[in-house]
Amino acid sequence: MDRDFVEHFARDWIEAWNDHDLDRVLAHYTEDFVMHSPYIRQLAGVAEGRLQGKQAVGDYWRKALERMPDLRFELICALAGVSSITLHYRGAGGSLAAEVFHFTPDDLVHTAYAHYAV
């Protein structure tokens, strides 16, 4: 992953979430992307903690934003991999989170894994 791309992705992703601009957030993902998160278990009641497809994840995130109208993220750092990026950030209530994004060759996220401090 090229440094400029990593920095741009991190900045745009954080800003889009902080603006609660779901269309801008979703623009980073493929139509069939897969999201893994323990909050999918808790908030959506999906036992495997996994949703597939931009529509399904978008609906889930829309509900989450409605429940947390003051949600803001603060980037701590961005880490580059071969075809992945990990963003370490402060999320809801200042809690620590890290999200791993796996990219297609055309720079869209096809799989993401969210991790939260326990």
Side-chain angles (χ1 to χ4, degrees):
M1 297 256 92
D2 162 286
R3 180 185 182 128
D4 290 337
F5 176 78
V6 172
E7 290 175 355
H8 177 266
F9 175 83
R11 185 176 50 254
D12 194 62
W13 190 86
I14 293 286
E15 288 175 3
W17 274 107
N18 287 345
D19 290 343
H20 293 198
D21 186 342
L22 196 51
D23 289 335
R24 188 169 155 203
V25 171
L26 289 169
H28 295 281
Y29 299 88
T30 62
E31 288 298 322
D32 63 344
F33 93 96
V34 180
M35 181 71 210
H36 301 262
S37 171
Y39 286 126
I40 291 171
R41 282 186 181 145
Q42 292 175 343
L43 301 176
V46 177
E48 63 271 10
R50 174 186 172 279
L51 290 173
Q52 182 164 1
K54 194 181 278 194
Q55 181 68 47
V57 178
D59 291 345
Y60 161 72
W61 283 342
R62 190 169 290 104
K63 289 176 188 171
L65 286 171
E66 288 170 4
R67 293 175 79 169
M68 296 180 281
D70 297 329
L71 180 68
R72 289 201 48 82
F73 294 160
E74 176 190 344
L75 183 65
I76 296 170
C77 70
L79 306 164
V82 175
S83 60
S84 63
I85 295 172
T86 298
L87 297 184
H88 184 210
Y89 60 95
R90 290 194 183 281
S95 62
L96 292 175
E99 205 151 327
V100 181
F101 304 90
H102 294 269
F103 288 82
T104 63
D106 57 345
D107 295 333
L108 291 173
V109 177
H110 67 80
T111 309
Y113 297 87
H115 302 79
Y116 304 97
V118 293

